[in-house]
Short mmCIF file of all heavy atoms in Angstrom, two decimals:
data_model
loop_
_atom_site.label_atom_id
_atom_site.label_comp_id
_atom_site.label_asym_id
_atom_site.label_seq_id
_atom_site.Cartn_x
_atom_site.Cartn_y
_atom_site.Cartn_z
N GLY M 23 -19.42 5.29 -5.56
CA GLY M 23 -20.60 4.45 -5.33
C GLY M 23 -20.92 4.41 -3.85
O GLY M 23 -20.29 5.12 -3.04
N ALA M 24 -21.85 3.55 -3.51
CA ALA M 24 -22.38 3.50 -2.13
C ALA M 24 -21.30 3.29 -1.09
O ALA M 24 -21.43 3.74 0.06
CB ALA M 24 -23.40 2.37 -2.06
N GLY M 25 -20.18 2.67 -1.48
CA GLY M 25 -19.13 2.37 -0.51
C GLY M 25 -18.53 3.61 0.14
O GLY M 25 -18.11 3.56 1.30
N GLU M 29 -18.95 4.37 5.57
CA GLU M 29 -18.36 4.79 6.84
C GLU M 29 -19.17 5.92 7.50
O GLU M 29 -18.95 6.25 8.65
CB GLU M 29 -16.90 5.20 6.65
CG GLU M 29 -16.00 4.02 6.30
CD GLU M 29 -14.79 4.46 5.51
OE1 GLU M 29 -14.89 4.51 4.27
OE2 GLU M 29 -13.76 4.78 6.13
N THR M 34 -24.89 0.11 1.98
CA THR M 34 -24.65 -0.07 0.54
C THR M 34 -25.80 -0.90 -0.02
O THR M 34 -26.76 -1.20 0.69
CB THR M 34 -23.30 -0.80 0.31
OG1 THR M 34 -23.43 -2.12 0.84
CG2 THR M 34 -22.15 -0.06 0.97
N PHE M 35 -25.71 -1.29 -1.27
CA PHE M 35 -26.79 -2.07 -1.88
C PHE M 35 -26.50 -3.55 -1.89
O PHE M 35 -27.37 -4.36 -1.61
CB PHE M 35 -27.02 -1.58 -3.32
CG PHE M 35 -27.54 -0.18 -3.38
CD1 PHE M 35 -26.68 0.89 -3.53
CD2 PHE M 35 -28.89 0.07 -3.23
CE1 PHE M 35 -27.15 2.19 -3.55
CE2 PHE M 35 -29.38 1.37 -3.24
CZ PHE M 35 -28.51 2.43 -3.40
N ARG M 36 -25.25 -3.92 -2.21
CA ARG M 36 -24.94 -5.34 -2.40
C ARG M 36 -23.95 -5.84 -1.35
O ARG M 36 -23.55 -6.99 -1.39
CB ARG M 36 -24.40 -5.55 -3.82
CG ARG M 36 -25.44 -5.24 -4.87
CD ARG M 36 -24.90 -5.16 -6.29
NE ARG M 36 -25.95 -4.63 -7.14
CZ ARG M 36 -26.22 -3.35 -7.23
NH1 ARG M 36 -25.50 -2.44 -6.55
NH2 ARG M 36 -27.22 -2.91 -7.98
N TRP M 42 -30.25 -4.39 -1.08
CA TRP M 42 -30.82 -5.39 -1.98
C TRP M 42 -30.71 -6.80 -1.41
O TRP M 42 -31.19 -7.75 -2.01
CB TRP M 42 -30.20 -5.33 -3.37
CG TRP M 42 -30.38 -4.00 -4.07
CD1 TRP M 42 -29.49 -3.44 -4.93
CD2 TRP M 42 -31.47 -3.09 -3.98
NE1 TRP M 42 -29.97 -2.21 -5.37
CE2 TRP M 42 -31.19 -1.96 -4.78
CE3 TRP M 42 -32.67 -3.08 -3.28
CZ2 TRP M 42 -32.04 -0.86 -4.93
CZ3 TRP M 42 -33.52 -1.98 -3.40
CH2 TRP M 42 -33.20 -0.89 -4.23
N GLN M 101 -22.81 7.77 -8.25
CA GLN M 101 -24.00 6.93 -8.40
C GLN M 101 -24.91 7.13 -7.18
O GLN M 101 -26.03 6.67 -7.17
CB GLN M 101 -23.59 5.46 -8.51
CG GLN M 101 -22.73 5.16 -9.72
CD GLN M 101 -22.15 3.76 -9.65
OE1 GLN M 101 -22.79 2.78 -10.00
NE2 GLN M 101 -20.93 3.66 -9.17
N HIS M 119 -27.64 8.91 -10.83
CA HIS M 119 -28.87 8.19 -10.45
C HIS M 119 -29.87 9.08 -9.71
O HIS M 119 -30.78 8.58 -9.05
CB HIS M 119 -28.52 6.95 -9.62
CG HIS M 119 -27.68 5.97 -10.37
ND1 HIS M 119 -26.89 5.04 -9.73
CD2 HIS M 119 -27.47 5.79 -11.68
CE1 HIS M 119 -26.24 4.32 -10.64
NE2 HIS M 119 -26.57 4.75 -11.83
N GLY M 188 -15.51 2.91 -3.98
CA GLY M 188 -16.70 2.39 -3.31
C GLY M 188 -17.83 1.97 -4.22
O GLY M 188 -18.99 2.17 -3.91
N THR M 189 -17.49 1.36 -5.36
CA THR M 189 -18.55 0.82 -6.20
C THR M 189 -18.23 -0.62 -6.59
O THR M 189 -17.06 -0.97 -6.79
CB THR M 189 -18.78 1.65 -7.48
OG1 THR M 189 -19.81 1.06 -8.25
CG2 THR M 189 -17.51 1.78 -8.31
N SER M 190 -19.26 -1.46 -6.69
CA SER M 190 -19.06 -2.86 -7.08
C SER M 190 -18.80 -2.96 -8.58
O SER M 190 -18.51 -4.03 -9.09
CB SER M 190 -20.28 -3.68 -6.68
OG SER M 190 -21.46 -3.08 -7.21
N VAL M 193 -23.03 -2.09 -12.17
CA VAL M 193 -24.26 -1.47 -12.68
C VAL M 193 -23.96 -0.53 -13.84
O VAL M 193 -23.14 0.37 -13.72
CB VAL M 193 -25.02 -0.74 -11.55
CG1 VAL M 193 -26.21 0.01 -12.10
CG2 VAL M 193 -25.47 -1.74 -10.49
N ASN M 214 -11.37 0.16 -2.72
CA ASN M 214 -12.47 -0.71 -2.31
C ASN M 214 -11.92 -1.82 -1.42
O ASN M 214 -10.91 -2.43 -1.77
CB ASN M 214 -13.11 -1.33 -3.56
CG ASN M 214 -14.45 -1.98 -3.26
OD1 ASN M 214 -14.62 -2.64 -2.26
ND2 ASN M 214 -15.40 -1.79 -4.16
N PRO M 215 -12.53 -2.08 -0.27
CA PRO M 215 -12.02 -3.15 0.59
C PRO M 215 -12.12 -4.52 -0.08
O PRO M 215 -11.42 -5.45 0.28
CB PRO M 215 -12.92 -3.10 1.82
CG PRO M 215 -13.77 -1.92 1.69
CD PRO M 215 -13.71 -1.44 0.29
N LYS M 231 -10.60 1.03 2.96
CA LYS M 231 -11.80 1.85 3.04
C LYS M 231 -11.52 3.25 2.50
O LYS M 231 -10.44 3.80 2.75
CB LYS M 231 -12.27 1.94 4.50
CG LYS M 231 -12.72 0.61 5.09
CD LYS M 231 -13.17 0.76 6.52
CE LYS M 231 -13.76 -0.54 7.04
NZ LYS M 231 -14.18 -0.38 8.46
N ALA M 232 -12.50 3.84 1.84
CA ALA M 232 -12.33 5.16 1.24
C ALA M 232 -11.93 6.20 2.29
O ALA M 232 -11.06 7.03 2.06
CB ALA M 232 -13.63 5.58 0.56
N1 APR R 301 -14.88 2.26 1.29
C1 APR R 301 -14.83 1.93 -0.03
N2 APR R 301 -15.62 0.97 -0.60
C2 APR R 301 -16.46 0.31 0.22
C3 APR R 301 -16.54 0.58 1.62
C4 APR R 301 -15.70 1.61 2.14
N3 APR R 301 -15.71 1.93 3.43
N4 APR R 301 -17.47 -0.26 2.17
C5 APR R 301 -17.96 -1.04 1.14
N5 APR R 301 -17.34 -0.70 -0.02
C6 APR R 301 -17.55 -1.25 -1.37
C7 APR R 301 -18.08 -2.68 -1.40
O1 APR R 301 -17.02 -3.61 -1.33
C8 APR R 301 -18.79 -2.71 -2.76
O2 APR R 301 -17.89 -3.11 -3.79
O3 APR R 301 -18.54 -0.47 -1.98
C9 APR R 301 -19.18 -1.25 -3.00
C10 APR R 301 -20.68 -0.97 -2.92
O4 APR R 301 -21.27 -1.65 -3.99
P1 APR R 301 -22.87 -1.62 -4.19
O5 APR R 301 -23.53 -1.86 -2.91
O6 APR R 301 -23.15 -2.51 -5.34
O7 APR R 301 -23.15 -0.09 -4.57
P2 APR R 301 -22.91 0.67 -5.96
O8 APR R 301 -21.78 0.11 -6.72
O9 APR R 301 -22.89 2.10 -5.67
O10 APR R 301 -24.30 0.31 -6.74
C11 APR R 301 -24.51 0.92 -7.98
O11 APR R 301 -26.75 0.08 -8.03
O12 APR R 301 -28.48 -0.42 -6.73
C12 APR R 301 -28.08 0.45 -7.68
O13 APR R 301 -28.68 2.69 -8.10
C13 APR R 301 -28.05 1.87 -7.17
O14 APR R 301 -26.31 3.53 -7.40
C14 APR R 301 -26.56 2.18 -7.11
C15 APR R 301 -25.98 1.26 -8.15
#
Side-chain angles (χ1 to χ4, degrees):
E29 291 154 272
T34 66
F35 294 94
R36 296 168 190 81
W42 300 147
Q101 298 170 83
H119 299 158
T189 180
S190 53
V193 174
N214 194 319
K231 295 180 174 179

